[in-house]
Amino acid sequence: MTRTVTLALHPAFRVAPVRPRTFGAFVEHLGRCVYGGIFEPGHPAADEAGFRTDVLDLTRELGVTSVRYPGGNFVSGYRWEDGVGPVEERPARHDLAWHSTEPNTVGLDEFMAWAERAGVEPMYAVNLGTRGVPEALDVLQYANAPQGIALSDARAAHGHPEPYGIRMWCLGNEMDGPWQTGHKTAEEYARTAAETARAMRQEDPGLELVVCGSSSSQMPTFGTWEATVLAETYDLVDMVSAHAYYAEKDGDQASFLASADDMDHFIDSVVATADHVRAELKAEKRIMVSFDEWNVWYQHRAESRPPEGDDWPVAPVLLEDTYNAMDAVVVGSLLISLLRHSDRVASASLAQLVNVIAPIMTAPGGATWRQTTFHPFALTARHAAGEVLDVRIEAPTFANERFGTSSAADAVATWDETAGNLTLFVVNRDPGRELDLAVDLADFGGLSLVEALTLHHEDPYAANTQDAPDTVTPQSNDTIRVEDGHLAGALPAISWSVVRLHRS
Ligand code: AHR
């Protein structure tokens, strides 16, 4: 039996403009993300500041627009001032979150220098675990105040006279999680976040502040956490965070492939909760979602656990997942979910950027390579343009343990009316069956096919490695064609595709 997915598209089905910040990433002082990732002095490709230019090149190729820094769980014990000033005077400290030693060779000034080279907007997280209002104000003044006060003069003395003008600030990290240093109840955190946000706004009213939401939709406090925190911070913040990691568990491919169903539910629930608080407070503004950690992460693997014992290594190998073709399809489908919610998801960060659950890998002193997950991210960041269009999908379903049944196909489109470009992102999430694609393009006038690329491998566990970095890459899908205003073609089981069309 032919299994067809029919997509209904219209230029008037506008959701919101494509937001560049959807394509953010994350750099945490964790494992080899900073040391041996973005920064490796002495590497043949390192620039005069010690930044790996090969990693910078891949960061730009990935299309990353903003980068969250410096953590993550790390930030909840971090003293930002340890990381500024003469490097030889900076103290080494134990990082409790990842049982590592933080040498503080890289800090705020180095990160900003790297961000400028990478062409990305910084998003800075303050420590609300072991610290509070004074230290958040200090780092804000160090970063953003014009010269003339102690901390901005210190910045100038460190070689950076001009304020950095960092706009996006996270009020702590995953404060709902019992694993977090300084973990708080929703009430405790709401109070701390409100006080911190108020003070930061007194310093600079133009900031965009992100209050901590839930660290997954499975947290026992999910929903009530957001309601409690937003009730106290609504007027003071712009976004509430969401974090989600997915993995194939016990060979259950079908549930894993349907992971975006959880992301859809997560975003819809947070939006509903925020809007409920808005109604209660009779507020005008709407709170947006900052999905500032999302990815596939195999947390059960040994290297995802911090080392134990007396040894506190610098930059150990941690969370270095090798991604396969199926992981890349899931990452592509999560991007479809994020884009579809562009009316309420104002910012997102793939966690993370280099080596640590990352699209970019490095060998110490050696090569870089692109993981499978690099490709759907780079192609979506490059080709999503104009307005996000809602896509109505008629597709068969597939059974899975986690969600019951899920649509075999998911899709989103973007329409750049001025340039005349329609781009379709579509995933076949069915673990076992090919789908025939059918799209009526009549409402867009005449469109012709520019390119159709499909990421798929007959072995869903095939991966890219240092020795075989191009095992899984997007390939031209020659079955996809446009005839008489209709787009048609075949989508293999477990595949992600981008179809680019242009007004003829
Ligand atoms: O990205 C890895 C970790 O996942 C982060 O440090 C933390 O915020 C989350 O639990």
Side-chain angles (χ1 to χ4, degrees):
M1 190 182 81
T2 312
R3 290 163 55 87
T4 302
V5 49
T6 307
L7 306 181
L9 276 178
H10 193 283
F13 291 179
R14 291 170 190 228
V15 175
V18 174
R19 296 175 188 269
R21 284 176 174 171
T22 304
F23 305 107
F26 180 29
V27 165
E28 177 169 5
H29 284 251
L30 192 183
R32 297 194 310 119
C33 186
V34 172
Y35 306 108
I38 63 169
F39 181 77
E40 191 179 337
H43 186 280
D47 64 14
E48 74 296 343
F51 298 122
R52 284 186 66 153
T53 56
D54 50 355
V55 172
L56 280 165
D57 288 345
L58 282 183
T59 300
R60 286 186 284 262
E61 184 185 320
L62 186 62
V64 169
T65 51
S66 66
V67 173
R68 183 168 175 255
Y69 174 86
N73 296 341
F74 169 80
V75 82
S76 295
Y78 182 50
R79 306 178 197 210
W80 70 272
E81 65 275 23
D82 288 347
V84 298
V87 171
E88 59 284 1
E89 292 173 20
R90 298 184 192 176
R93 303 259 187 213
H94 281 169
D95 160 24
L96 303 183
W98 302 107
H99 200 83
S100 307
T101 294
E102 170 54 50
N104 281 307
T105 318
V106 170
L108 176 57
D109 292 318
E110 288 79 19
F111 174 70
M112 292 305 294
W114 178 84
E116 191 179 358
R117 285 164 167 82
V120 300
E121 179 187 9
M123 177 189 223
Y124 194 88
V126 300
N127 173 358
L128 292 188
T130 58
R131 300 189 129 186
V133 180
E135 297 87 357
L137 279 180
D138 284 353
V139 67
L140 173 59
Q141 290 179 355
Y142 183 91
N144 282 6
Q147 282 184 68
I149 59 171
L151 285 163
S152 56
D153 286 350
R155 183 194 65 232
H158 298 153
H160 310 283
E162 292 306 316
Y164 289 127
I166 301 173
R167 283 184 62 82
M168 280 197 290
W169 293 77
C170 302
L171 301 167
N173 176 70
E174 294 191 349
M175 299 310 303
D176 63 324
W179 58 86
Q180 203 69 211
T181 311
H183 160 63
K184 293 175 175 39
T185 65
E187 290 77 13
E188 289 164 347
Y189 172 67
R191 184 76 191 274
T192 303
E195 286 170 353
T196 309
R198 192 172 293 112
M200 290 177 79
R201 285 210 183 287
Q202 284 174 327
E203 173 70 29
D204 182 348
L207 302 178
E208 294 179 60
L209 300 180
V210 184
V211 74
C212 287
S214 294
S215 35
S216 97
S217 66
Q218 305 306 300
M219 295 299 287
T221 50
F222 178 58
T224 54
W225 174 277
E226 282 81 357
T228 307
V229 167
L230 286 174
E232 197 148 345
T233 59
Y234 200 93
D235 291 340
L236 298 164
V237 303
D238 303 284
M239 295 178 249
V240 58
S241 72
H243 291 179
Y245 293 100
Y246 303 98
E248 185 197 350
K249 295 189 184 103
D250 305 322
D252 183 359
Q253 289 185 356
S255 297
F256 177 49
L257 284 160
S259 294
D261 286 6
D262 174 76
M263 186 178 254
D264 286 340
H265 162 76
F266 196 158
I267 298 169
D268 294 342
S269 303
V270 173
V271 165
T273 306
D275 287 351
H276 172 76
V277 177
R278 175 176 182 255
E280 279 189 331
L281 298 178
K282 302 181 175 48
E284 278 286 313
K285 81 169 181 194
R286 288 185 197 278
I287 296 289
M288 307 296 272
V289 176
S290 171
F291 219 116
D292 47 43
E293 287 188 34
W294 68 271
N295 205 347
V296 172
W297 177 12
Y298 290 90
Q299 298 189 40
H300 61 274
R301 289 185 185 159
E303 68 266 24
S304 276
R305 284 189 289 281
E308 289 173 357
D310 298 335
D311 186 25
W312 292 75
V314 175
V317 172
L318 275 172
L319 283 60
E320 297 202 8
D321 283 3
T322 298
Y323 291 118
N324 60 42
M326 185 164 44
D327 298 329
V329 170
V330 170
V331 162
S333 75
L334 296 172
L335 280 161
I336 289 172
S337 171
L338 288 170
L339 269 178
R340 176 175 34 245
H341 289 95
S342 293
D343 55 335
R344 296 305 291 270
V345 176
S347 173
S349 305
L350 175 71
Q352 298 194 5
L353 182 66
V354 191
N355 291 331
V356 171
I357 43 174
I360 300 170
M361 296 300 291
T362 70
T368 56
W369 64 100
R370 299 166 189 79
Q371 295 237 47
T372 59
T373 53
F374 185 100
H375 298 290
F377 191 102
L379 285 167
T380 308
R382 191 175 317 144
H383 296 303
E387 296 279 334
V388 177
L389 299 184
D390 192 18
V391 176
R392 294 301 153 110
I393 303 163
E394 266 181 54
T397 57
F398 66 103
N400 61 84
E401 205 167 303
R402 180 159 179 201
F403 304 100
T405 55
S406 301
S407 170
D410 199 6
V412 72
T414 64
W415 171 231
D416 184 342
E417 189 159 18
T418 315
N421 292 333
L422 177 71
T423 308
L424 185 64
F425 303 94
V426 57
V427 63
N428 179 354
R429 314 189 296 176
D430 190 306
R433 284 170 291 192
E434 184 175 289
L435 289 172
D436 283 339
L437 177 66
V439 192
D440 183 348
L441 299 171
D443 291 313
F444 293 87
L447 290 179
S448 49
L449 184 66
V450 176
E451 179 181 45
L453 295 172
T454 292
L455 189 142
H456 166 77
H457 198 284
E458 60 191 37
D459 175 7
Y461 297 100
N464 295 343
T465 60
Q466 185 180 355
D467 295 337
D470 296 322
T471 305
V472 182
T473 55
Q475 302 294 323
S476 179
N477 184 333
D478 298 331
T479 69
I480 294 185
R481 64 211 176 273
V482 176
E483 276 168 20
D484 301 329
H486 285 81
L487 178 73
L491 305 173
I494 315 182
S495 70
W496 174 91
S497 302
V498 52
V499 181
R500 296 173 54 216
L501 301 135
H502 182 68
R503 196 165 42 212
S504 358

